[in-house]
Amino acid sequence: MSQTQDKPSAPINVKLLLIGNSSVGKSSLLLRFSDEQWLPEDESNATIGVDFRVHKMEVKSKRVKLSIWDTAGQERFRTITSSYYRGAQGIILVYDVANRESFEALPRWFSELETYVSSSVVKIIVGNKVDKEYSRQVSTAEGQAFATRMGALFIEASAKTAVGVEDAFRDVVARIIDTPELWQAAPRAGVSAGKPSARRDAGNDDMPGSIDLHQEQDEAEGGGCAC
Ligand code: GDP
């Protein structure tokens, strides 16, 4: 039997970033996904501040080594450094379904992405804290409609109950696997996989130059404020 053939191939390295307003649950989602852990609200108190986690998984029959980065609270000062974005193939944009302001901040986060990452980088919007259904301020339809308009994946989740968390990470990785330019023969994947998309020509692609949360919102069935 030849030992030179059929060596197990090296895992695909994938870098994911979590972004979104402070306290939407980014660190909690990361802890839930990678450590299957949940810190009670009163213990975690605002931002837990995880730096990053490495997680191995198999998606679409490919071994994937994920490094998932958390802002560790940088966003509180509106100063996420450009180096944070370098080399990312996937971005997880988180808002809190019970905090409308965090949803309304998404266009700002997308504008920042336009500046720092290639348009081919996969994005998923995660509406977190669905366990707080009683105080929901953003409907599922509204979240979905915005994601569709931005060409992003969408899921609702709860770091507290774990619902949707594994799926969120799997979905984004699956889309990355489906986009070989993001991980094949790309020593500096992500940013190198295309030009950073700042200052794109109007109408040049699916992301509008000025991002408006509410444009064509009526398309969403039941869209609009759920308050
Ligand atoms: P970050 O600043 O975005 O990283 O947010 P954290 O992960 O630090 O969470 C902020 C607060 O929200 C903490 O008190 C968490 O316990 C709480 N939290 C996070 N995720 C959930 C969730 O899914 N449901 C509920 N009810 N609370 C959550």
Side-chain angles (χ1 to χ4, degrees):
M1 222 185 290
S2 162
Q3 294 199 328
T4 55
Q5 308 256 317
D6 298 334
K7 269 198 291 177
S9 53
I12 298 169
N13 289 310
V14 167
K15 178 177 175 182
L16 299 181
L17 305 181
L18 287 150
I19 62 172
N21 278 11
S22 191
S23 301
V24 293
K26 298 181 294 300
S27 305
S28 302
L29 286 166
L30 181 50
L31 279 182
R32 169 59 80 191
F33 175 67
S34 68
D35 302 4
E36 291 175 38
Q37 196 188 346
W38 163 254
L39 296 176
E41 282 98 322
D42 52 348
E43 274 182 42
S44 60
N45 207 354
T47 289
I48 296 161
V50 183
D51 283 343
F52 82 104
R53 286 283 189 279
V54 172
H55 189 92
K56 292 183 182 154
M57 64 197 302
E58 193 168 313
V59 180
K60 297 196 156 200
S61 312
K62 296 223 175 335
R63 288 189 307 131
V64 177
K65 187 176 164 195
L66 278 178
S67 57
I68 312 159
W69 291 77
D70 182 18
T71 57
Q74 283 186 78
E75 73 282 11
R76 274 178 295 173
F77 311 104
R78 290 293 308 146
T79 52
I80 291 194
T81 51
S82 58
S83 58
Y84 181 67
Y85 292 98
R86 196 166 302 139
Q89 291 114 314
I91 312 277
I92 301 170
L93 295 110
V94 186
Y95 69 95
D96 170 354
V97 298
N99 178 327
R100 195 158 182 94
E101 196 187 328
S102 68
F103 178 65
E104 287 177 350
L106 289 179
R108 264 196 291 121
W109 288 109
F110 270 96
S111 300
E112 188 150 315
L113 291 182
E114 285 194 339
T115 308
Y116 293 121
V117 301
S118 152
S119 56
S120 59
V121 165
V122 176
K123 291 137 204 137
I124 185 167
I125 296 178
V126 177
N128 189 37
K129 308 197 189 181
V130 277
D131 58 283
K132 292 169 82 174
E133 191 57 56
Y134 50 90
S135 51
R136 181 190 276 273
Q137 294 182 355
V138 183
S139 71
T140 305
E142 202 177 353
Q144 176 69 71
F146 179 64
T148 303
R149 198 154 63 73
M150 301 310 292
L153 301 165
F154 176 73
I155 195 165
E156 288 189 333
S158 165
K160 184 173 185 176
T161 66
V163 69
V165 176
E166 169 96 16
D167 288 344
F169 286 88
R170 274 196 176 273
D171 288 356
V172 71
V173 173
R175 178 70 72 89
I176 290 167
I177 301 288
D178 286 341
T179 316
E181 66 184 277
L182 286 173
W183 50 272
Q184 269 179 358
R188 292 187 305 124
V191 168
S192 63
K195 280 180 264 172
S197 49
R199 303 205 153 269
R200 272 180 270 172
D201 298 337
N204 202 17
D205 58 31
D206 53 358
M207 293 254 274
S210 152
I211 300 160
D212 171 6
L213 194 61
H214 303 291
Q215 190 188 327
E216 295 166 29
Q217 185 177 294
D218 301 345
E219 280 174 13
E221 208 187 320
C225 181
C227 15

